Amino acid sequence: MPQLAISFADVLAAADRLHGVARRTPVLTCDALDERTGAQVFFKAENLQRVGAFKFRGAYNALSRLTPQQREHGVIAFSSGNHAQAVALAARLLNMPAVLVMPHDAPAIKLAATREHLRGLRGSEIVLYDRYTEDRAAIGARLAAERGLTSIPPFDHPDVMAGQGTAALEMIEQAGPLDALLVCVGGGGLISGCAVAATHLLPEIAVHGVEPEAGNDTQRSLKAGHIVQIGVPQTIADGAQTTSSGLLTFPVIQALVRSVVTVTDAQLVRTMQHLAQHLKLVVEPTGCLAAAALLEGVLDLRGQRVGVILSGGNVDLIQYSQFLSGTGGSATLPDPHGGALGALIKDAP
Ligand SMILES: *Cc1c(COP(=O)(O)O)cnc(C)c1O
């Protein structure tokens, strides 16, 4: 078996670095949802993590490992979503410059939150680009070369993967032994870190990944035995609109994940409603993936102790109210090239 990019020791070291910095998010249980699924379900509420998603764990772990010289020059990241906010906050806490390359039509709330974290931080800025006409890789490469910035990728990096794995480490400390662990899959940073932690602590555990039906690249890659690339998936799960898993994450998934299943956007919307109603939690569409597989019966884990990671809670409130009232969702898919809200407004009769 090839050497995997991270080991359990890396996750433990990440947990040390994150101690007192990342929030130890609660693990919630709910009789109504236990009854619905026939399982004993433990929900890890990473929507309550700093910046509203688990991404803070990986970003902070990666930035805290940079050399003094790298810290002096700073970091660069590309993201329209939670990774940008995570890198911005981590850079602020560690006092290093951060350049975030974001599409000019990124959700307004995410741009504003990222800008707020960078306020007054030396050498930091948001560089906006037009995703129709400009090549962000070229923009990034130029900036990185000019300023000596270190690039922090959203999932395919050992320190990012190890940081994300602390979510599962913590959850098992909080919930006790589990038979199964359900984790959403975008590029696979979260699930690879969590699988390393969970299978080390509980060798019998079944780790299952959950992808949006439209973006099942990892499921297809596992079947094919190599990384399969797909087009940008059309789904409300905007945090899982990745087109392939990573060169580092995929071998970990291959080695340690039992299966990858998919859920539809309609199933995500119903799950968002269940989580609001029963757990009183705001969870973004991507954050509902793992829960949806269980609550919608895609995975039948009756009689088992099941951990479910709720990965994030950053959702536009108007869009969220439409999901809750059943007027948003698969009939009004966000345009991956535009703001989700813009698409809803455009599609309105
Ligand atoms: C980034 C993100 C994901 C996907 O994580 P990967 O590590 O890319 O698999 C899932 N949910 C939320 C809320 C995210 O921000």
Side-chain angles (χ1 to χ4, degrees):
M1 197 167 80
Q3 176 84 29
L4 300 179
I6 59 166
S7 68
F8 183 66
D10 296 318
V11 180
L12 278 184
D16 268 347
R17 290 181 203 107
L18 289 169
H19 185 79
V21 183
R23 228 167 253 155
R24 194 172 168 85
T25 56
V27 169
L28 306 173
T29 59
C30 169
D31 290 342
L33 297 179
D34 282 359
E35 205 158 298
R36 180 182 171 89
T37 57
Q40 200 177 343
V41 193
F42 300 89
F43 295 94
K44 177 71 168 161
E46 283 294 296
N47 57 320
L48 304 178
Q49 185 50 264
R50 294 182 86 168
V51 312
F54 71 89
K55 289 263 187 353
F56 178 70
R57 296 175 182 272
Y60 187 88
N61 187 49
L63 265 58
S64 67
R65 296 212 57 197
L66 297 180
T67 64
Q69 192 185 357
Q70 287 173 315
R71 286 189 191 213
E72 185 57 33
H73 288 104
V75 293
I76 184 167
F78 314 91
S79 167
S80 58
N82 294 332
H83 181 59
Q85 290 181 69
V87 169
L89 178 58
R92 173 170 211 99
L93 295 172
L94 293 163
N95 189 27
M96 66 179 86
V99 175
L100 281 312
V101 183
M102 300 179 75
H104 68 74
D105 54 356
I109 45 165
K110 296 195 170 168
L111 277 171
T114 306
R115 196 165 280 131
E116 192 53 38
H117 294 313
L118 296 182
R119 186 194 300 276
L121 189 60
R122 74 188 158 90
S124 293
E125 62 178 312
I126 295 175
V127 175
L128 295 177
Y129 75 102
D130 183 332
R131 52 177 137 190
Y132 305 107
T133 60
E134 292 178 284
D135 175 4
R136 78 172 192 184
I139 297 171
R142 179 173 53 75
L143 285 167
E146 277 172 13
R147 303 187 194 176
L149 304 168
T150 302
S151 182
I152 307 294
F155 52 85
D156 214 22
H157 186 293
D159 298 330
V160 172
M161 293 158 65
Q164 318 305 32
T166 62
L169 179 69
E170 241 175 67
M171 179 180 207
I172 292 166
E173 286 170 8
Q174 293 166 300
L178 300 170
D179 302 305
L181 177 64
L182 311 189
V183 188
C184 54
V185 183
L190 180 61
I191 196 171
S192 55
C194 286
V196 165
T199 58
H200 178 91
L201 295 168
L202 304 167
E204 302 298 316
I205 197 171
V207 179
H208 298 282
V210 186
E211 287 184 302
E213 190 178 80
N216 67 339
D217 55 283
T218 303
Q219 190 185 50
R220 285 162 62 174
S221 300
L222 284 177
K223 202 168 287 173
H226 58 85
I227 297 173
V228 171
Q229 180 107 21
I230 61 170
V232 176
Q234 299 275 333
T235 167
I236 60 172
D238 57 323
Q241 280 181 313
T242 36
T243 55
S244 73
S245 43
L247 292 172
L248 302 181
T249 59
F250 183 65
V252 179
I253 295 170
Q254 259 184 323
L256 303 178
V257 171
R258 187 78 53 95
S259 80
V260 172
V261 299
T262 65
V263 299
T264 65
D265 281 1
Q267 290 175 317
L268 290 177
V269 170
R270 279 199 296 274
T271 299
M272 224 178 301
Q273 294 168 350
H274 283 302
L275 296 174
Q277 175 141 39
H278 296 294
L279 291 181
K280 320 304 171 191
L281 288 180
V282 176
V283 185
E284 65 184 275
T286 317
C288 291
L289 282 164
L294 190 61
L295 301 186
E296 292 289 323
V298 175
L299 287 169
D300 184 348
L301 301 176
R302 230 158 267 280
Q304 301 190 20
R305 292 169 57 87
V306 182
V308 170
I309 297 190
L310 304 174
S311 59
N314 292 325
V315 53
D316 179 276
L317 284 185
I318 293 173
Q319 195 188 8
Y320 184 64
S321 71
Q322 287 165 328
F323 287 134
L324 290 192
S325 64
T327 55
S330 47
T332 48
L333 276 179
D335 176 356
H337 304 295
L341 188 57
L344 287 173
I345 290 169
K346 268 184 291 184
D347 291 349

